[in-house]
Amino acid sequence: MPCRIHHPLNPINPLNKMRSMQSKNSLAVDFLYKVLLLIVILVIQVLILHFLFRAPPSISISVQQITEEKITPLPAEEVKGCDYGYVYVYELPAMFNKELLDNCHELNPWHSRCGSISNVGLGPRAVGLSRVVPENLAPAWYWSDMFAAEVIYHDRILKHKCRTREPESATAFYVPFYAGLAVGKYFYSNNTSKERDWHCEKLLGWVKNQTPFKKYNGLDHFIMLGRPTWDFRRSKDEDWGSGFVYMPLMSRILRLSLERDPWDMLEMGVPYPTGFHPRTRSELDQWLSFVRNRNRTSLFTFAGAKRNLKGDFRTILMDHCYNETRSCRVVDCSGTRCSDGTSDVLEAFLDSDFCLQPRGDTYTRKSMFDCMLAGSIPVFFWKRSIYDQYDVFLGDEPEKFSVFIDWRDVRNGTSIREVLEGYGGDEVKKMREKVIDLVPNFLYSSRRHDEEIGYAKDAIDIAIDEVLKRFKEQKGVGHARS
């Protein structure tokens, strides 16, 4: 058999070997480059997520931010109850709202306000109410701060069914500036008038350059002031408060205020927030039934604190109550006992037919709405505490749900007990029914969408309807979406 010589299939060639090594090195470098690129991308993503979701390090209580919800708006023909048009919400620079929340620990020189503006303005969840309110309603209660309404309004108007994202189709333009928070931080310190007005001037400087504002010079714009109007009406530099309302660009902007100037037609008084924020129509109805059937053991009650002022009227009322212990119930709110949250005030209102409502730092008080929420009938001593204040929400006949006793008569010896005992059982029942009928009008619900409460309008719905109605009428044209 012939001998076979086997030749290698791939004879080794020095040039081929070098080329092979270069190819392998190239592949290794390419692989290493891709790995490094992937690592860099991952690091960048981690950094982005960190900065997006990090919480302010100095805030001990989590403050829920006002954010846009990813809700697909209904077509105009499917939106019911927007007969007066639609409201557009400006997206302001963060310094006018979001940064104030982020730096909530700086809003008061004595204590942090982070808790009071948490939960989109509703405040901390109430505790210790299990013996006072129906157990299943306890989650709807918060210790709401009386000056947090501007945060509540912003959150709810963003979710309002009559909100439009198209400025050209809007009847009204809402400016979500937290004026009360911005100027309130300077009220109790030795700050100049310029410092107290700084945010307000910057805000108006921004708004005046917006196209919708230029069209009517702000005539179709509105803002929510989270404090009584007097805090924004400084006439002289050395006086109290801010001069926001008197700034020229504010001369046509409608203001929603916790207490309005009765002679200013560009202001509308809106209710102070109470602690009850029903999530559903069922919760609201259950509460109304609860207060209607409450067994009340006191004729009247007074919740407040004495002041070290000569002739202090609240001291007179408290002394009067202590002298009428069989008829009057007293809750002494000295210090921070009532402002920091307590069930004592609510329980006293629930147990009383009437509640005394003197003027506070201004003519109105948050306590008035807390009293009515409990089904108690308010007793006023100054006409300006109720007349020409909340007509849009409570009507223009306060005598149907309240009692008026002139403060001068009380000083001169008139017995509050005798006046209230003069109302018969049927009269008291009729007034209480009127109070209960009005409760939904001044509540701020915590519903996420309108349908969750069965379209029972609350204070914000009523306020928006009134704003849109006024603007539509003054423009004289319809503003349906195109």
Side-chain angles (χ1 to χ4, degrees), residues 354 377 400 422-434:
F354 299 91
I377 301 164
K400 290 186 176 181
Y423 288 87
D426 289 341
E427 287 181 285
V428 172
K429 184 177 180 181
K430 187 175 181 179
M431 281 194 288
R432 175 169 297 114
E433 280 301 317
K434 182 61 176 177

XYZ file of all heavy atoms in Angstrom, residues 354 377 400 422-434:
131
model
N -75.701 75.548 71.296
C -75.130 76.779 70.754
C -73.640 76.859 71.079
O -73.169 76.247 72.041
C -75.829 78.013 71.364
C -77.304 78.099 71.094
C -78.217 77.540 71.996
C -77.788 78.737 69.969
C -79.584 77.620 71.765
C -79.162 78.826 69.732
C -80.056 78.257 70.633
N -75.164 75.589 66.892
C -75.629 76.850 66.305
C -74.721 77.987 66.760
O -74.587 78.231 67.966
C -77.090 77.131 66.723
C -77.997 75.984 66.261
C -77.565 78.469 66.156
C -79.351 75.957 66.940
N -81.077 82.663 59.942
C -81.744 81.357 59.845
C -80.926 80.232 60.478
O -81.473 79.166 60.773
C -82.037 81.021 58.381
C -83.113 81.887 57.760
C -83.464 81.404 56.367
C -84.625 82.214 55.790
N -85.011 81.743 54.433
N -84.419 81.752 75.487
C -85.623 82.306 74.870
C -86.011 81.634 73.563
O -87.116 81.852 73.048
N -85.123 80.818 73.031
C -85.442 80.081 71.799
C -86.096 78.754 72.175
O -85.521 77.962 72.927
C -84.177 79.828 70.970
C -83.637 81.073 70.300
C -82.762 81.918 70.980
C -84.007 81.409 69.012
C -82.261 83.068 70.382
C -83.520 82.550 68.395
C -82.645 83.380 69.094
O -82.171 84.520 68.497
N -87.279 78.523 71.642
C -87.990 77.280 71.933
C -87.363 76.080 71.245
O -86.524 76.219 70.338
N -87.806 74.889 71.649
C -87.254 73.657 71.099
C -87.414 73.555 69.597
O -86.498 73.108 68.889
N -88.559 73.969 69.087
C -88.797 73.891 67.641
C -87.889 74.852 66.881
O -87.398 74.532 65.788
C -90.264 74.202 67.328
C -91.202 73.083 67.791
O -90.710 71.958 68.003
O -92.412 73.356 67.947
N -87.673 76.041 67.461
C -86.788 77.014 66.806
C -85.361 76.493 66.754
O -84.679 76.635 65.729
C -86.827 78.341 67.573
C -88.098 79.141 67.397
C -88.034 80.453 68.162
O -88.173 80.411 69.403
O -87.829 81.512 67.530
N -84.916 75.910 67.857
C -83.556 75.361 67.905
C -83.406 74.243 66.880
O -82.396 74.166 66.150
C -83.227 74.855 69.321
C -81.897 74.104 69.328
C -83.190 76.008 70.310
N -84.394 73.379 66.814
C -84.348 72.258 65.861
C -84.312 72.773 64.430
O -83.556 72.250 63.582
C -85.556 71.349 66.067
C -85.541 70.117 65.178
C -86.736 69.217 65.469
C -86.713 67.981 64.578
N -87.888 67.094 64.839
N -85.076 73.806 64.146
C -85.121 74.356 62.794
C -83.779 74.978 62.413
O -83.277 74.778 61.296
C -86.233 75.407 62.703
C -86.481 75.922 61.299
C -87.681 76.866 61.285
C -87.969 77.381 59.873
N -89.142 78.285 59.854
N -83.179 75.719 63.358
C -81.871 76.308 63.082
C -80.806 75.238 62.917
O -79.931 75.350 62.056
C -81.487 77.284 64.198
C -82.164 78.633 64.091
S -81.406 79.894 65.180
C -81.972 79.321 66.770
N -80.874 74.177 63.730
C -79.882 73.112 63.605
C -80.003 72.424 62.248
O -78.985 72.077 61.638
C -80.035 72.089 64.729
C -79.074 70.887 64.547
C -79.009 69.988 65.750
N -78.486 70.712 66.897
C -79.184 70.999 67.993
N -80.436 70.601 68.090
N -78.634 71.670 68.973
N -81.218 72.205 61.777
C -81.392 71.581 60.468
C -80.781 72.444 59.371
O -80.186 71.931 58.424
C -82.876 71.345 60.186
C -83.444 70.114 60.866
C -82.720 68.836 60.441
O -82.444 68.670 59.234
O -82.407 68.019 61.323
N -80.911 73.757 59.526
C -80.312 74.658 58.540
C -78.788 74.576 58.594
O -78.112 74.549 57.547
C -80.766 76.093 58.800
C -80.233 77.101 57.781
C -80.708 76.783 56.371
C -80.246 77.841 55.382
N -80.638 77.508 53.981
